[in-house]
Every structure is written in structure tokens, then in C-alpha cells.
Amino acid sequence: MPARRMEDRPERGQYTPMTTLVTSGAARKSLPEFKNESYLDFSKPEIRAAAQAALVQVRSEFEREHELWIAGAHRKTGDLLNSVNPSRPAEIVGRHHKASAELATLAVEDAHAYFPEWSRTPVERRVELLVRVAALIRERKLEFDAWLVVEAGKTWAEADADVSEGIDFCEYYARQMQRLAAPPELVQLAGERDEMVYLPLGAGVVIPPWNFPLAILAGMTVAALVAGNTVVVKPSSEAPTIAAKFAEVLLAAGFPPRSFSLCTGSGSVVGDLLVEHPRTRFVAFTGSRDVGLRINELAAKPRRGQIWIKRVVAEMGGKDAIIVDREADLDSAVAGVAQSAFGYQGQKCSACSRAIVDEAVYDEFLSKLKSRVEGLTVGPPEDPANFMGPVISAGAYRTILEYIDTGKREGRLIAGGAAVPSNAAAKGNDAAAGDGYFIPPTVFADVDPKARIFQEEIFGPVLAVARARDFDHALALANDSEYGLTGAVYSQNPDKIRRARESFFVGNLYINRKCTGAMVGAHPFGGFNMSGTDSKAGGPDYLLQFLQAKSIAEKL
Ligand code: NAP
């Protein structure tokens, strides 16, 4: 590689964070102990009424134009991205100006230029801003829920879980940053003072998916910010309105205008540019395996003027399995599988897409599962009676239906499988409801463990069930995957549970419960193998992804 030329170097002051202020814990304010945000109870008439009112408010903002927020200012390009309601694609939820290559470049360069100032902002101020963001979202919780219902096709309960998780990330990372701001205890050599302090990294790019469009977007963004980094957020093109609402909250909370940019635009157009820019210090990505691998590869190549190795935090796909042992409580296993497979239409990275069932209980399990799945209601999620809403987009709808066709060759269809909206979907309150991207919960039995529907992430309401000879065989099938995100085991046998703890190779293992629904603080979340870079969102180590440690030894 040619020697780096002097003019390629950034000015020292442009990237060197100040050690002392960043690590100061002097003004530490005590925050109450972290507690997960409670969920709203949508069975209560008053909550339902308030939810409907929030929906009316949100609908009144449909078709509004949303500008970009780049380098501390609103920007327009006139090149608009329409975000639609997947239950009624004719409805435009928001129109979003898309960043040009020039604006994306400006976003990174300004984030880099502003980094020294933000990194010197005392930790306590950054922590206070996170807590304020949490409070503002809490105040507007039903409104945020409603945006998720109309833009992401979430049911009210799923939407509320997403918003609650976003609040949890703010509250939890605020406390974790306070902890990390206090220098850890080191061995003290005779005649020295030995310390280690954490410094932020620099300007980062945050790239979230659409499936937790508030929680994951907020989590990655606030983690980077509270650690003292500046960020350029490139939201998913499927859920830009929620991102615009979150940006509003960051500003309202008091985040400095240049501490973050909202760089809406197509991943394939501005994504590479943001990742490759030599001033990008890190990329925090959550999304599919293929995009994650591409980002990892592009980020690994140093560009002219780049003086660091970019850090990539990538949280990627899953092909998550639930093992149902012959000694399981079968009703509870059926409930857990159905909930994990079909909650939010199977569009969770943690969704159960493989059920591996001991042959001794296989037929009974399938018959119970079939009747349970046939009772699941599908339709516009605005109606709280529906358990499942639409899949996110026309593209996802087509891909999932193609997998269902493949499944018909690879397994025995026992539920769903229709290529048209279900009857329940057509019961929506207007004719357009039938045009939504509704796919009924679909189950294939007798699937060969090497089949495509057993190995590839479908990311929709499709469950493949395979038969296992015994528990060891079930574990071997569960581990026969390139992914390693979540998994669950239903068994009453302590020895089998012990074996699962030891050898079920997933980042998040659940025993006798569903494999979705990770809670911030209790279930640090992230997977092995092609599921990502082994980070743990919502866990005590997560902020270290956005920090670097400096050791200081002073001779006394
Ligand atoms: P995706 O297609 O990979 O997109 C994720 C993000 O990457 C979007 O913002 C997308 O922007 C952007 N992007 C696309 N191409 C890019 C490029 N060349 N450079 C930079 N960014 C680019 O994934 P998705 O469909 O949104 O989300 C579903 C996937 O996420 C599933 O695989 C799921 O398992 C995974 N997921 C994982 C976790 C976890 O914690 N492990 C959590 C949630 C979801 P555009 O929208 O503009 O294309």
C-alpha cells in the first residue's frame, strides 16, 4: 500500500476526543434503578379509545412532506420516497426527501467535524438527553404506536412493545454510560498511578431495518450518541416516517443540531457511500445477512485519508428453532411456537421459523398446532381483534409467496398457504383492506432439514416443522444452520435442559418459553455465526462497541 500522504490526514483536533471530560463522573446524578417500560393494555376500553384518537391524529398527517436533517439543517432534494401503509398500499403515510450523494457526503463530513465538540460534552449532559428522549416518547407513546401500526403493519400490542423497547434502550444505555464513565479499577504498580478510560470513536453511520423501526433505530442511535459519537442515521426505506418522528424527538430533547443527521435514502444508492467514506469511523447495522456482509467487506477496505480500521457492529438474520421434546408441556410448546412464528407476521429476526419435534409427540403437536394456527386472525392491525397484520411490502409479499410455493414441494402443508388475502383480511372496514399484503400463517410439516424452507431465512409467517428421533438429534438439527440468533427448548427434563444450555449454539437461548420478546437489560440480544458480530444490544457490554479504551500510567 502506498505511504499515506500528509495532506490526506485529518487535522488532529478534528478527531481527537478529550480524555478528561469524556470520562468525568464528577457530576453524576443518580437515576432510579432501570425498569422495563410497561405495556399498555389494549383490552381496556379507555386505552382503545385513546389509540383510535392517536390514529386519527396520525392519519391527519398522512402525505406530509418530511425533509432531511443534515449537518444541523433541514434539506430538500425534491426526490421523494413515498412510505405506504402495508394494510392499504394506496395510502401514503409520508413523503420523504431522499438524500443525494452530495448530501450523504456532507452528513458524514459534518459529523466528523462536529465530533470533537460533542465528544467533549460531559457524560452527564449526554445521559440527561437520553432520559429526556425516553420521557418525550413516553408522553407520545400512543402516537408512536399508531405510526408503527400504519407504517410497519404492527398490531397495537406489537407496536407498543417496539415503542417500549425504544424507551428502554434510552433509559438503559443512559445508566450504562454512567457506569462506564467511572474509570474501572486496575492493578496499581508501585510508584505509578494506573488508569483506563473510555473514549468515543468518532463519526458513525447507523443503518437500521424496518422491522423494529423505532426500537432498533433508537437503540443504535442513542447508544452511539451517549458514548460521545456523532451519527449519520440512514433509516430503512420501508419506515422513514417513524425515523423522522424520532429525529424530531432528538431535537426536542435538546440534542445539538449537528450531533446527528437523518439521511433518508435508498440503501443501495447512499449506503455504500456512507460506509466507504474515509471519515466514517464505525458502522452500526441491523438487517439482512447479505447487506451486513457487504457492509463488512466495504468497511474493511481502507480509503485514501482514512487513519483507522472501521468498526462494524452488524446484527443480522436468523433461522431460529424451537425444540419440542417428548417430555415437554405440549400446550405450552404449541402456544410458544405459534406466538414466536406468527407474532408480527414472522417478521422478527428472533421469529421461530423451524420447529423440531420429537417423534414421540410429533403427531399430537401438529394437530394442536394446526387448530391453534387456524384460529389466528389476520387483517388490518388497526383493528385490535386481529392477531396478524400485513407483511411489510409488495416485494416481501412476493418473496414469501414464492417460498410458500417452494414449501409445497418441500413439505406437507397443514395450515395457511393461500396466495390471496385471507377471509379475515377481507373483513377490514373498507374495500381497500383486501389489497393489503396479507399472508395467512402457514405451516409445513415433514420438512427435510436440508430443505430450503428449513435453511433459508424467509422473514414471513412460514413455519417449517421437522421430526427428530430424540433430543440429541433435535439439538443436531437445530445447530445445523449458518445462523445462530435465538432458539428455545420445551422440556421438563433437567438433564436435557442442561444439554441445551451447553450445546444449543445461539446468542439467545430460551427454556420453556417463546424465542421472541427479548427484554432490554434481561435478555441482551444478538447472535452467533451469520447472525452478526456477536454484539449484545440491551446488555451491559453493548456500549463498548462504540468506545475505545485508553490506558494511562503516570509515574509518581
Ligand atoms: P436489509 O434489507 O438488509 O436492510 C437493512 C438496512 O440496510 C436498511 O436501512 C436498508 O436500506 C439498508 N441497506 C440496504 N442496502 C444497503 C447497502 N448497500 N449499504 C448500506 N445499507 C444498505 O434488511 P431489512 O429487510 O430492513 O430487515 C430484515 C432483516 O434484518 C432480516 O434479515 C432480519 O433477520 C434482520 N434483523 C436482525 C436483527 C438482529 O438483531 N440480529 C434485528 C432485526 C432485524 P433500504 O431500506 O433503503 O434498502
Side-chain angles (χ1 to χ4, degrees):
M1 187 173 157
R4 186 157 41 77
R5 295 176 316 164
M6 286 303 287
E7 61 268 33
D8 293 336
R9 286 191 189 191
E11 293 292 309
R12 272 185 71 79
Q14 282 186 308
Y15 67 88
T16 308
M18 290 253 300
T19 305
T20 47
L21 287 174
V22 170
T23 58
S24 163
R28 180 173 174 157
K29 286 187 209 110
S30 75
L31 292 172
E33 194 184 334
F34 171 78
K35 279 213 312 243
N36 295 107
E37 188 68 17
S38 342
Y39 297 150
L40 295 171
D41 179 354
F42 290 94
S43 68
K44 291 189 174 157
E46 65 275 19
I47 301 282
R48 284 195 186 207
Q52 290 308 317
L55 208 51
V56 170
Q57 181 204 330
V58 155
R59 282 186 170 277
S60 73
E61 290 189 43
F62 272 15
E63 304 211 14
R64 204 190 110 188
E65 258 185 41
H66 297 268
E67 296 176 7
L68 296 146
W69 179 260
I70 289 178
H74 284 293
R75 318 264 171 175
K76 293 184 188 189
T77 56
D79 181 13
L80 293 176
L81 162 73
N82 287 343
S83 174
V84 302
N85 178 354
S87 299
R88 297 181 180 80
E91 281 182 349
I92 295 174
V93 172
R95 299 182 191 278
H96 296 262
H97 288 265
K98 288 195 279 184
S100 58
E102 292 71 30
L103 283 177
T105 304
L106 173 65
V108 175
E109 291 177 352
D110 193 65
H112 174 75
Y114 187 67
F115 169 64
E117 192 169 332
W118 176 242
S119 71
R120 286 169 201 177
T121 305
V123 168
E124 281 313 316
R125 172 72 183 147
R126 303 194 314 243
V127 162
E128 190 186 322
L129 291 175
L130 254 64
V131 174
R132 229 186 265 171
V133 169
L136 290 175
I137 298 178
R138 200 176 283 119
E139 270 170 29
R140 293 169 59 181
K141 200 167 188 225
L142 272 172
E143 180 205 331
F144 271 95
D145 286 0
W147 283 115
L148 287 161
V149 170
V150 294
E151 191 174 50
K154 296 210 168 195
T155 58
W156 286 102
E158 293 285 353
D160 200 54
D162 189 330
V163 175
S164 299
E165 190 177 3
I167 294 171
D168 282 351
F169 280 134
C170 295
E171 295 279 1
Y172 184 79
Y173 293 146
R175 287 157 178 78
Q176 291 304 318
M177 194 60 221
Q178 283 191 324
R179 179 178 63 80
L180 290 166
E185 268 186 34
L186 297 184
V187 170
Q188 298 295 308
L189 295 185
E192 274 188 16
R193 186 168 65 221
D194 298 305
E195 291 174 83
M196 189 176 84
V197 294
Y198 289 109
L199 309 182
L201 297 171
V205 174
V206 167
I207 307 178
W210 51 262
N211 72 327
F212 281 86
L214 183 69
I216 296 181
L217 166 91
M220 294 195 296
T221 303
V222 300
L225 285 169
V226 79
N229 305 286
T230 50
V231 292
V232 177
V233 182
K234 207 274 341 140
S236 164
S237 298
E238 306 291 359
T241 313
I242 293 153
K245 292 283 150 191
F246 180 67
E248 264 175 39
V249 168
L250 288 181
L251 290 175
F255 271 93
R258 293 173 65 203
S259 58
F260 75 95
S261 283
L262 182 66
C263 192
T264 307
S266 153
S268 53
V269 176
V270 293
D272 288 359
L273 188 156
L274 295 171
V275 170
E276 288 177 329
H277 197 291
R279 301 291 181 254
T280 295
R281 175 64 180 85
F282 66 93
V283 182
F285 166 80
T286 306
S288 62
R289 179 199 58 180
D290 291 353
V291 174
L293 289 178
R294 178 182 172 80
I295 287 174
N296 195 45
E297 190 177 338
L298 290 181
K301 191 171 179 338
R303 314 284 154 179
R304 193 176 213 202
Q306 182 180 325
I307 60 162
W308 43 64
I309 298 171
K310 289 177 188 168
R311 194 177 288 177
V312 174
V313 184
E315 297 171 40
M316 292 148 47
K319 189 71 188 174
D320 309 306
I322 295 186
I323 293 177
V324 182
D325 176 43
R326 63 181 67 190
E327 294 174 86
D329 170 342
L330 221 49
D331 289 329
S332 150
V334 165
V337 168
Q339 178 73 43
S340 309
F342 302 118
Y344 190 35
Q345 297 79 266
Q347 302 174 115
K348 298 182 186 178
C349 52
S350 55
C352 169
S353 50
R354 299 184 293 155
I356 300 169
V357 185
D358 191 305
E359 60 185 14
V361 291
Y362 188 80
D363 291 337
E364 191 185 352
F365 173 85
L366 278 183
S367 116
K368 285 176 182 253
L369 183 69
K370 179 176 163 62
S371 54
R372 186 165 192 114
V373 168
E374 283 173 350
L376 298 178
T377 45
V378 185
E382 292 170 26
D383 178 352
N386 288 320
F387 173 76
M388 284 170 59
V391 299
I392 189 68
S393 64
Y397 183 74
R398 276 193 301 274
T399 306
I400 297 164
L401 290 178
E402 279 166 22
Y403 269 111
I404 288 177
D405 279 344
T406 304
K408 287 175 182 164
R409 294 188 295 277
E410 293 185 329
R412 175 166 59 95
L413 182 69
I414 65 159
V420 290
S422 71
N423 291 338
K427 275 198 238 152
N429 46 16
D430 65 43
D435 298 328
Y437 308 128
F438 297 99
I439 296 181
T442 297
V443 181
F444 292 102
D446 307 346
V447 178
D448 185 292
K450 295 291 177 202
R452 283 185 60 204
I453 61 162
F454 207 76
Q455 292 292 335
E456 297 173 16
E457 186 183 47
I458 300 172
F459 221 57
V462 183
L463 173 70
V465 188
R467 187 189 296 262
R469 290 187 299 276
D470 54 27
F471 192 70
D472 287 332
H473 184 217
L475 269 178
L477 294 184
N479 283 337
D480 180 19
S481 169
E482 65 177 345
Y483 295 106
L485 189 47
T486 75
V489 172
Y490 281 87
S491 177
Q492 303 295 325
N493 180 320
D495 184 56
K496 288 174 180 168
I497 291 172
R498 179 188 56 75
R499 274 187 279 153
R501 283 172 175 270
E502 283 170 10
S503 54
F504 197 161
F505 193 65
V506 288
N508 288 71
L509 177 64
Y510 299 100
I511 316 281
N512 289 320
R513 53 148 284 173
K514 63 186 175 134
C515 65
T516 53
M519 298 298 287
V520 170
H523 311 134
F525 190 81
F528 302 149
N529 293 344
M530 284 296 175
S531 291
T533 49
D534 318 307
S535 56
K536 282 285 189 243
D541 304 333
Y542 188 67
L543 291 187
L544 294 177
Q545 315 280 336
F546 303 93
L547 293 163
Q548 53 197 332
K550 177 173 179 179
S551 158
I552 304 167
E554 182 179 358
K555 197 164 168 54
L556 298 174

